[in-house]
Amino acid sequence: MTIQLEFNDTHNFTGRARIKQKSELFSLQLIDRQGETVRIHAKFDRAAIEKECKLDKEEPKEFVLDVFALGDIRRHVLPEYRYEDEIELHEIPDGANLEFRLKVISRSVDASGKILAATGGRVRLHTGSGDEGSGEQNQGIFHPKPSTSIGDRIWQVGWDGQGDFEVFVHADYFHKFVDDPLFAAHVFPEIVRSVATGILLRFDSIKDIDEDSLLAKWVSFIQQRLAIPLEGEEAAHLNDADNIDRLDLVEQIVAAFTSQKWRDGKTLIEEIL
């Protein structure tokens, strides 16, 4: 289980190649969206990607597309003998943003499961409304940056003094475990706790949060996906709440997050056990 991520590292410390976000290598376009069903057309040039990334064309491998939606991740294996595919996604709420990551995974006996190449950031869906659809990055709910400057801590949330934040993860830990369900189970609940604490203790009112900020996306995520109101009549009690009451609400937010069913209908803990 991986919650929406955007990888902003410019150097790859894992030895895997970077798939450049160019339309001639890989592109996605929306076919239609009806109710909670989304149909997408994917085009990809396996030979060109292998050549660009200097991959051994004789090594068995599969091209996998990770689909990120509302904190969930879905895995779609692209066909081996075609250059295009139609992908149908279900249970995607109207208005939910979709992001994608393409990975090339080894299926050789000696290195089965190893990621040989991957896009360096999120690929945004081309809707035909001016978006080039060639892999522009789009910021998700979770936004970790590999860091070599947070000492022996696994993660750190740094606030910028202007009401927004960044999430840093120990670079070695990040690159070793980012594709492992353990990463989400260990790191994300504590990041949720830290960010929720910032929302409730750093601001007198949710209205003080910049609507274009990453933090505003978290407010929407908490209210819409976790069903915990932070503004409006249902959250009127927060106006007079003291810090203890606000910290109790933080614990409710973390509990709601960890009890959510994500990939394959499992909670974070269920996926690693």
Side-chain angles (χ1 to χ4, degrees):
M1 155 64 202
T2 305
I3 313 292
Q4 283 182 307
L5 301 174
E6 179 186 354
F7 306 136
N8 287 324
D9 51 317
T10 57
H11 300 284
N12 196 315
F13 299 98
T14 64
R16 72 185 60 158
R18 178 76 53 83
I19 301 174
K20 294 181 180 180
Q21 297 181 0
K22 299 189 294 186
S23 58
E24 58 266 32
L25 296 179
F26 171 62
S27 65
L28 297 166
Q29 184 165 4
L30 178 68
I31 299 175
D32 62 42
R33 190 165 191 162
Q34 298 183 10
E36 294 192 343
T37 299
V38 180
R39 292 170 59 237
I40 297 165
H41 182 252
K43 293 181 65 177
F44 51 97
D45 191 329
R46 296 172 67 99
I49 291 172
E50 290 178 350
K51 182 178 179 180
E52 180 92 16
C53 296
K54 297 181 172 61
L55 303 179
D56 181 0
K57 64 180 181 180
E58 301 300 328
E59 179 176 3
K61 61 183 74 69
E62 64 182 9
F63 283 56
V64 176
L65 188 65
D66 286 339
V67 184
F68 300 86
L70 286 176
D72 196 6
I73 180 173
R74 307 177 190 201
R75 185 176 186 273
H76 180 81
V77 179
L78 295 170
E80 183 174 357
Y81 299 108
R82 298 204 310 271
Y83 287 90
E84 57 186 355
D85 193 20
E86 184 175 308
I87 304 165
E88 187 168 285
L89 303 172
H90 301 280
E91 298 181 3
I92 305 295
D94 185 35
N97 292 323
L98 292 172
E99 296 175 311
F100 305 83
R101 184 186 183 208
L102 178 64
K103 298 186 295 187
V104 182
I105 300 176
S106 173
R107 286 295 171 244
S108 66
V109 175
D110 296 334
S112 182
K114 178 182 178 181
I115 299 176
L116 303 175
T119 48
R122 292 308 156 82
V123 178
R124 189 167 55 192
L125 184 64
H126 178 35
T127 62
S129 57
D131 182 354
E132 293 299 322
S134 58
E136 295 185 22
Q137 293 187 7
N138 187 22
Q139 190 171 9
I141 297 299
F142 285 84
H143 183 56
K145 294 182 177 180
S147 173
T148 58
S149 61
I150 61 174
D152 291 329
R153 286 172 290 184
I154 293 178
W155 62 273
Q156 176 184 344
V157 174
W159 296 86
D160 63 8
Q162 303 298 317
D164 219 340
F165 68 98
E166 291 183 303
V167 177
F168 301 97
V169 178
H170 190 287
D172 291 340
Y173 179 90
F174 180 92
H175 292 299
K176 184 174 182 179
F177 294 109
V178 66
D179 292 307
D180 191 312
L182 286 169
F183 181 88
H186 288 167
V187 175
F188 289 149
E190 294 310 310
I191 292 177
V192 169
R193 187 189 310 279
S194 182
V195 174
T197 300
I199 291 172
L200 292 170
L201 296 188
R202 291 175 178 269
F203 298 89
D204 294 330
S205 171
I206 298 299
K207 295 180 180 179
D208 296 333
I209 296 176
D210 184 350
E211 63 181 12
D212 295 323
S213 68
L214 174 60
L215 199 59
K217 295 189 177 194
W218 275 75
V219 171
S220 296
F221 175 76
I222 291 170
Q223 296 194 116
Q224 296 174 13
R225 184 63 189 264
L226 304 185
I228 296 179
L230 298 177
E231 54 189 335
E233 292 185 5
E234 293 181 310
H237 63 282
L238 289 176
N239 295 330
D240 300 318
D242 57 23
N243 286 348
I244 297 300
D245 291 334
R246 290 172 180 263
L247 289 175
D248 286 342
L249 182 56
V250 168
E251 293 304 315
Q252 293 178 36
I253 292 170
V254 176
F257 176 78
T258 55
S259 65
Q260 285 282 310
K261 302 289 187 179
W262 303 102
R263 187 173 64 180
D264 298 327
K266 297 179 180 179
T267 64
L268 296 178
I269 192 67
E270 287 172 345
E271 188 164 5
I272 65 175
L273 295 180

